[in-house]
Amino acid sequence: MSEYKKKFILDEERIPKAWYNIIPDLPAPPPPPLNPATMQPAGPDDLAPIFPPSIIAQEVSGERYIEIPEEIHQIYRIWRPTPLIRATGLEKALDTPAKIFFKHEGVSPAGSHKSNTAVAQAYYNKLDGTTRLATETGAGQWGSALSMACQMFGLECMVYMVKVSYHQKPYRRSMMQLWGGTVIPSPSDQTNAGRAVLAEDPESLGSLGIAISEAVEDAVTHPGSKYALGSVTNHVLLHQTIIGEEAILQAQDADAYPDVVIGCVGGGSSFGGIAFPFLRENLAGKTNTRLVAVEPTACPSLTKGQFRYDFGDEAQTTPLFKMYTLGHDYMPPGIHAGGLRYHGMAPLLSHVYDLGLLEAVSVPQTKVFAAAQLFAQTEAIVPAPESAHAILVAINEALKAKEEGVSRNIMFNLTGHGLLDLGSYDTFLSGGLEDYDHPEAAIAASIATLPKVD
Amino acid sequence: MSEYKKKFILDEERIPKAWYNIIPDLPAPPPPPLNPATMQPAGPDDLAPIFPPSIIAQEVSGERYIEIPEEIHQIYRIWRPTPLIRATGLEKALDTPAKIFFKHEGVSPAGSHKSNTAVAQAYYNKLDGTTRLATETGAGQWGSALSMACQMFGLECMVYMVKVSYHQKPYRRSMMQLWGGTVIPSPSDQTNAGRAVLAEDPESLGSLGIAISEAVEDAVTHPGSKYALGSVTNHVLLHQTIIGEEAILQAQDADAYPDVVIGCVGGGSSFGGIAFPFLRENLAGKTNTRLVAVEPTACPSLTKGQFRYDFGDEAQTTPLFKMYTLGHDYMPPGIHAGGLRYHGMAPLLSHVYDLGLLEAVSVPQTKVFAAAQLFAQTEAIVPAPESAHAILVAINEALKAKEEGVSRNIMFNLTGHGLLDLGSYDTFLSGGLEDYDHPEAAIAASIATLPKVD
């Protein structure tokens, strides 16, 4: 048989038993969130109405490693370890001397990395006595993962789904319902926030900002309820580090430790998840791996935003976070990678980027879909449009290696499969996809409204 | 960490290197197909217009093992070995002393076991100089797998897709197109067969029988073209035996060799694929594993059909095969497990069943979907409706073990995921699913038309 291995798995015993918290290893601590009323650092108490104590403890933890409870590990093991796959078909098509590997998070039952934190959040909420979780979902990837996780731990799950997606993505809705989730098109008549929007515009198609407001209000007004978030916060990035911890072991098994690790960024959790364990090795002086975050040109928070205090949501109900932001008023064009349309970037990832420890690049969606198609045709797997941002940059890196005549180990994070995004592929294949100019003016206008803190 | 393993994989080196051909191990040879014009046994020459020489050689082979070429193995290794997963969540929900394991074929990029034979057929056609393959697809699972495989080997792929599915399942169509397949709604104006149907009924929604006729006609009228079939024939069952070969090794690793192996049957290839390697061990006197085929009550070829010579298609263009059949005129009700609506059963599987080496049972779809939901809620994975037939019987076996107070190792074949079947789940969840009475009269009428051969 052949001389190379195609796929690197891990025995179950080698699945990492702890998540990695990068904060104590950083050369400087991340700036604290601020209470917008007092402009003083927000503490655990500010989070208590919406998160349970164990999650808040993780959000502010200074411990380097946090053990993964056995109950979570049992569920992880349905799909974890996710394979590290060598993209030999893609390498051949590019005729590159580089070795390309991808970490395939799309093998999870809900189809993306989101399950890694959904299971953890459901577990800790259950432990702390929560009986019901409320959340929002745009395209549906996060709502699916949380519905699944709540089902596993016997929690009720309320998902406020942006109305336009609710109607356009019935498969995502059915998936959540199959896992016992209650899916409510937002704006709804279930909350004051929703009713206010409907009073003004009964035909409103909704937005993620409105859905967040509804979910938070739902959580604080129902006994036994808490709120769950699918990206951005420290605890979410923490839970995602299992991706990078596994990938390091698998890269060692492959004898191909990466020269560069590439991932897409929306809120930043999957990228933090794969990058931080590799960054730990860099910070310890053992390696010098490039870490490249890829965002859409339509929503370029790292490459065109400012590192400023801003609200996490459009309705200004959250604490202020210091993060790379386009301004909470910024409305990105309706690109097909729905998961990459957040106006800001995870504060922890923003801080690490500000420290100069990461690279960032933005790419347009037509090139992203062309890269996705080449990947599907050479590696068979249909990637999520979000993940395909990383594929495009991996291809560019492989072509650069070819040009330079050097071998190089390239790893990227395949955060999810695209089986529920085939409608977007149809648009691409029929020539209906377009790019957007860098929305400089819209970004400037939105950033101009930010509170002056620094 | 916990005392049990959740998932059994295999090192790549242990992926089986040969397919298993059960024919030489059977106590009697299977009856030959007949040329319907002469009523004499059909030989390789009868198949030459539609299949390439290497495939025909496999169709009639007497070798026990056929080596898997390295080029096929390389592509298999994108998703193979498929995991054998212990259904601990389902066991707990059933409170059974039985151990339940499932072989997860849904991890393949096209979403089902069909890829196992699609890749092999594309490879051998390429080897024999074919430049273009034509096939039919109903629900789209087979057409997807073949489009993917043709793309990997640089073959053109023409898929005649039953028109009603073409419009109802746009995601399946986009998937085939993404992989470079040309998808034509059938009946079409591309063939005499299609034009004849359209002349009579321009609004025809098509049927699998018509699509087969179009694909065969397309193959024989285009230079460099051959026809490919996704189930029923010996070579397809052969390619699927990689499922059972892997499962035996994994069951040994789990120290839980199955007392019973359960799989759904439509054309019979996935079930032959998992069952035949276990049957080899039975025939050698080493084991006594029960092998249970599960079919829908709406299309009960093994449990209500007759073991008779019949045509493989409605239009009577194929050789006559001795098989369990409901008659080629039989039109099953429009159940949601679209892959289990074939009027006959693979001749080789039929012969093995006739020898008394298998069990068969039929189940109604409302119970099947309820079992699928319980599985999704306890094991997180959304199963294909086809696969859920096996889940239901596995649950019944586990409950029987509980009643009898005995432990037992139960294995079933999860042939595919249900992510592109969520529309059917929606019908189930909203209470719109119904069962059909055993269609005794329709079966009797259809069987009455069969040629008298025996």
Side-chain angles (χ1 to χ4, degrees), chain B residues 64-283:
Chain B
R64 293 184 78 220
Y65 292 98
I66 293 177
E67 199 189 342
I68 302 172
E70 169 60 14
E71 291 83 349
I72 294 174
H73 219 266
Q74 278 186 23
I75 296 178
Y76 275 180
R77 275 147 52 213
I78 293 175
W79 72 92
R80 304 210 71 88
T82 64
L84 181 73
I85 303 180
R86 182 157 168 205
T88 46
L90 182 60
E91 288 173 15
K92 197 173 153 195
L94 299 173
D95 187 26
T96 175
K99 289 181 186 172
I100 307 174
F101 295 85
F102 59 95
K103 181 73 172 157
H104 189 3
E105 289 296 306
V107 299
S108 87
S112 80
H113 67 286
K114 294 284 186 193
S115 310
N116 298 329
T117 186
V119 169
Q121 291 190 50
Y123 168 77
Y124 287 113
N125 271 285
K126 176 80 175 181
L127 200 70
D128 287 342
T130 306
T131 57
R132 187 171 168 285
L133 279 175
T135 197
E136 71 287 332
T137 200
Q141 221 175 45
W142 167 242
S144 307
L146 192 67
S147 295
M148 179 200 87
C150 284
Q151 175 63 237
M152 308 302 265
F153 289 105
L155 297 175
E156 273 185 78
C157 187
M158 305 295 292
V159 183
Y160 291 85
M161 185 173 190
V162 176
K163 195 173 277 177
V164 62
S165 293
Y166 181 91
H167 293 298
Q168 278 178 354
K169 298 211 160 193
Y171 275 24
R172 277 284 175 200
R173 171 177 53 73
S174 301
M175 196 178 202
M176 292 183 250
Q177 290 169 334
L178 180 63
W179 281 320
T182 301
V183 189
I184 298 164
S186 165
S188 77
D189 60 2
Q190 309 277 306
T191 65
N192 288 330
R195 285 186 290 267
V197 174
L198 288 173
E200 199 156 303
D201 176 11
E203 305 302 315
S204 166
L205 295 175
S207 75
L208 203 58
I210 297 166
I212 292 176
S213 303
E214 289 209 274
V216 170
E217 181 184 331
D218 178 299
V220 300
T221 55
H222 286 80
S225 295
K226 293 289 178 192
Y227 170 71
L229 196 61
S231 189
V232 178
T233 50
N234 295 349
H235 65 273
V236 178
L237 273 64
L238 174 78
H239 300 151
Q240 296 297 355
T241 57
I242 187 144
I243 304 173
E245 295 289 16
E246 283 184 4
I248 285 180
L249 297 177
Q250 292 164 320
Q252 288 165 345
D253 288 353
D255 197 18
Y257 198 90
D259 297 297
V260 56
V261 172
I262 302 160
C264 62
V265 285
S269 70
S270 69
F271 184 69
I274 195 167
F276 287 173
F278 285 101
L279 182 52
R280 173 189 59 215
E281 305 303 304
N282 281 355
L283 290 169

Side-chain angles (χ1 to χ4, degrees), chain B residues 264-266 294-301 303-304 326 330 332 335 337 339-342 361-365 368 389 438-439:
Chain B
C264 62
V265 285
V294 188
E295 54 189 14
T297 48
C299 195
S301 53
T303 53
K304 298 279 177 178
L326 301 167
Y330 177 69
I335 55 167
L340 306 184
R341 297 177 71 246
Y342 186 62
V361 61
S362 72
V363 292
Q365 69 174 351
V368 165
H389 285 69
H438 269 292

Side-chain angles (χ1 to χ4, degrees), chain A residues 2 7 12 70 178 377, chain B residues 2 7 12 70 178 377 380:
Chain A
S2 72
K7 199 156 38 134
E12 280 188 7
E70 168 60 15
L178 180 63
Q377 295 192 343
Chain B
S2 72
K7 199 156 37 134
E12 280 189 5
E70 169 60 14
L178 180 63
Q377 296 194 341

Side-chain angles (χ1 to χ4, degrees), chain B residues 361-383:
Chain B
V361 61
S362 72
V363 292
Q365 69 174 351
T366 51
K367 287 189 179 169
V368 165
F369 272 84
Q373 182 177 31
L374 179 61
F375 182 74
Q377 296 194 341
T378 53
E379 293 296 323
I381 297 161
V382 180

